[in-house]
Amino acid sequence: MHKTNTGSMVLATASQAPRGEFLSKRARALKVSPTIAMSQRAGEMRADGIDVVNLSVGEPDTPTPMRIVDAAHEAAKKGHTRYTAPDGHQRVKQAVQTKLLRDNKLAYDLNQIGVVSGCKQAIFNALAATIDVGDEVVLIAPYWVSYADMVTYHGGTPVVVTAKQEDGFLPDIRDIAAALTPRTKWVLLNSPNNPTGAVYPCALLRQIGDLLAQHPDVMVLSDEIYEHLTYDGAEFVSFASALPDLKDRILLVNGASKAYSMTGWRVGFAAGPAWLIGAMARVQSQAAGSSNMIAQFAAVEAMEGDQSDLQVNRQVLKRRRDTAIQILSKCTRLGVCPLGGAFYIFADIHKCLGLSTADGRVIKTDSQMSDFLLDQAHVATVPGVEFGCSPYIRLSFAVDDDDLTRACNAIVAACNSLKLPDGADQI
Ligand code: GLU
């Protein structure tokens, strides 16, 4: 028996000996998505009877609104249970078209819209359709865990620009300019940002637009999945609506998961030039045929129906964010500050490095810190290294209020329990 990197046990018998060499080099190089791996570890501990609070994977704890569930029932009863076109049923594409016009003042034709199994798959398909070996994709760190692995999987090279904490985790335009080369295919942006919560102001988007006007072969992939989750008056601006002149060089990706508590339904979409949406549909036609038709019809209701849930969700999440910040900021070993969007806190843990646990382990990395919090505080988090930025840990606050309070208090207690290692005068 051996342990996989997800922590789950895999039986190896003589007839099922590990045959790693059979796997492609790309698959061998691919790790499990760290958010999913950490969430699985938390699940296994729970199965063993340990009361773990899972702040690792980012998904709203609130149920999918009943109007959307009812729409899915109706769709199934009406026989909307078949394959659709690879880029989605006409009806859901119309709903995306309506949503983009209503929320973002962006007009797209239906052949400029593709609906697939989640925003994640839209990004994957876009990279599959465009990346050749050696092509470069500019990522802004801290970046979502899957971007770099997806780029590498398709033979591309991630080129990382770091957005600094002292700049509110917003990138410096000069750093983006310096990262562009003749091999650059994409600049991948994500606002509101996972994991920091930073919301890119319109002025920054315009700076990026001015820069890209000088690089006509570069496209922007704008991941806008946290669009509806902003607080404190932070204003979300879709990249394409800030830069209408660049619209045909922008691939906007978004989906139903975060705004409508529909993570498990797997509905995401892309909007961009028809030639690219068509190429992504060819990828989808070979990989999955189409996404789930019942879920597509549920998403029609999500996007076209009563939108008042969004405001309620925002209020609940803001309250939770403030609770978490208030508790965590009592610990001087943690650096936390509220940013304007998404549902994560990206806590600076540099003051915990070099300190020792009760059993004498010295915390040297944010991965070790995350492991320590799981073992000691029974709280699952994701280390900053997975987002290309250390030493931090990411916590999701899209969980039940009591669990969140308990988890944050346990994190503070665990951090405060760390000691100077034996013999050290100071850190
Ligand atoms: N985007 C969420 C997260 O960062 C969902 C999990 C995933 O697909 O990584 O936790």
Side-chain angles (χ1 to χ4, degrees), residues 87-336:
D87 50 344
H89 191 279
Q90 178 99 342
R91 184 67 188 85
V92 75
K93 286 166 52 137
Q94 285 165 347
V96 172
Q97 190 178 44
T98 303
K99 173 259 170 295
L100 290 169
L101 202 53
R102 178 191 65 214
D103 299 345
N104 312 112
K105 310 285 174 283
L106 290 169
Y108 287 93
D109 295 333
L110 291 186
N111 66 357
Q112 297 177 310
I113 292 169
V115 178
V116 290
S117 298
C119 187
K120 196 172 196 168
Q121 192 181 34
I123 299 168
F124 191 92
N125 288 358
L127 296 173
T130 56
I131 295 296
D132 284 319
V133 172
D135 287 345
E136 294 175 359
V137 178
V138 174
L139 306 180
I140 315 294
Y143 49 72
W144 177 49
V145 292
S146 289
Y147 294 157
D149 286 317
M150 283 191 196
V151 170
T152 309
Y153 185 78
H154 289 108
T157 305
V159 176
V160 178
V161 167
T162 299
K164 299 182 194 72
Q165 183 172 3
E166 57 267 31
D167 297 332
F169 288 115
L170 297 174
D172 187 318
I173 191 68
R174 291 164 299 187
D175 295 336
I176 300 179
L180 298 175
T181 78
R183 301 302 311 253
T184 309
K185 274 234 160 114
W186 292 99
V187 174
L188 208 167
L189 301 177
N190 172 217
S191 168
N193 180 264
N194 174 3
T196 64
V199 182
Y200 287 23
C202 198
L204 174 59
L205 300 182
R206 295 225 168 95
Q207 278 184 335
I208 296 171
D210 288 345
L211 172 65
L212 293 182
Q214 301 155 35
H215 296 268
D217 296 330
V218 177
M219 292 201 42
V220 170
L221 203 164
S222 181
D223 177 350
E224 306 185 352
I225 189 70
Y226 294 94
E227 162 180 22
H228 291 294
L229 306 178
T230 53
Y231 323 104
D232 306 333
E235 194 197 353
F236 164 79
V237 183
S238 178
F239 193 69
S241 60
L243 295 154
D245 293 348
L246 283 190
K247 184 163 164 257
D248 61 358
R249 288 171 50 199
I250 296 168
L251 186 72
L252 180 165
V253 295
N254 200 335
S257 295
K258 314 292 183 184
Y260 303 102
S261 298
M262 287 179 71
T263 48
W265 300 71
R266 310 309 301 131
V267 184
F269 62 82
W275 58 265
L276 177 57
I277 295 294
M280 290 164 63
R282 289 202 296 279
V283 172
Q284 179 76 358
S285 77
Q286 297 290 3
S290 70
S291 63
N292 177 306
M293 191 182 196
I294 299 171
Q296 289 181 37
F297 273 81
V300 171
E301 169 59 31
M303 289 183 277
E304 289 186 354
D306 175 13
Q307 301 292 299
S308 56
D309 292 339
L310 298 177
Q311 180 61 18
V312 176
N313 280 348
R314 253 199 304 273
Q315 282 163 358
V316 169
L317 287 168
K318 178 184 159 29
R319 183 185 71 226
R320 291 175 177 175
R321 182 201 65 169
D322 293 346
T323 301
I325 293 280
Q326 193 243 332
I327 298 171
L328 296 171
S329 57
K330 282 189 214 145
C331 178
T332 54
R333 288 173 172 170
L334 292 173
V336 290

